[in-house]
Amino acid sequence: MMRTAEGRWYEGLIYEMMIEVASDCDLIKGVVRKGADAPYVRQKISQDQNGTFYSNYGDIKVRGNGQDLAEVDFLLVDRENTVAFGEIVTSPTDLKEFEQEIIFKKRLIGYLFGQPIVPFILVSSVDISRNSIIQRLMKEPDSVLITTASCEEIKSVLNPREIRYRPRKPIAHPKLLHLADIRQKRPFDYRQLHDERKDRLLEQMAAGVPLEALTGPDEIPPIVKKIVFGALYPPSIRLLCQRTEVTMKGEVLTFEDIMKDFSKVILAVNLPDCRPILYFRSKKKKEYYKMVPSKNGGFKYESRRTPHMAGFFLWLEGTKPSLGTQMTKTLLRYFVEHPPSPRGKK
């Protein structure tokens, strides 16, 4: 009855159907193992992990510097060794963010495997074919939408008395591939690419480049989606409070509040939309509070970042104070006082 469980069930069902299709289709070289068919791993996340990995639950991840950059619902390889990916949805909501997510995943997979075109399959249990966002995605080369019966219709053929928990070993199948079977053509060091992009942005801002020109195309691979500029020194935190408001549960945090309750304030920016984010390190718990721009200006509390998000949490933990007042003024002027258009917000 839970929507999350229903989504996982439907995702597993589509994966099994893809294996059946691959069995009868010479155009498909293989389907990448996932879920119960993936090798069982209990892998400690470290910041030197870059590339494709299985999660502890058999999900397919792309990691950079230990953090999860993307997760794909399934991967296929055709007979010409072209890598395609698929996404599975059970709801028509949040499609604007979904569009940005797919654009990034195409860029990321294309970079990893050296493909100018990345085939994309979208499988949905609801009819979203008339949605303008989906229509834009389907206009991209080698993209297809598959609409199945609804989850309710599919569940109606199940008899609860026939359902048993039957754990099984990964199946042997001639067209099931391990992630390691797909060789990356471009191994990468995500932290190095991040630092190159950060340095480039700082150089451009020092030269007075307009905000719109900061994310123009250049030679640095466009797979970095967040720049962590650094933590603020106390005078910079005071400047932040003077230039903008940060609220939690409707209450404005003063400089004194921040110094009393938090040990660190980190300034980051999402790319390519240049949306600023603040991370406040709690003194009471091992967690960060994520603050995002509010509609009325300033920042508001959105969510927490805990050790469960191991790779990114380690990155935040390793970020030391480095932003003085002059650099903070520049960052605030570019990303907070003159924020980017909400277009492409994610």
Side-chain angles (χ1 to χ4, degrees), residues 16 20 41 64-65 79 87 89 163 165 170 180-181 193 210 216 229:
E16 297 288 348
E20 289 190 10
V41 293
N65 196 42
R79 62 183 178 185
E87 292 295 310
V89 297
I163 299 173
Y165 178 65
D181 296 332
L193 294 177
F229 282 107

Side-chain angles (χ1 to χ4, degrees), residues 161-173:
R161 289 176 296 182
E162 296 175 355
I163 299 173
R164 298 288 185 273
Y165 178 65
R166 297 190 181 110
R168 62 170 174 81
K169 295 180 181 179
I171 63 171
H173 193 285

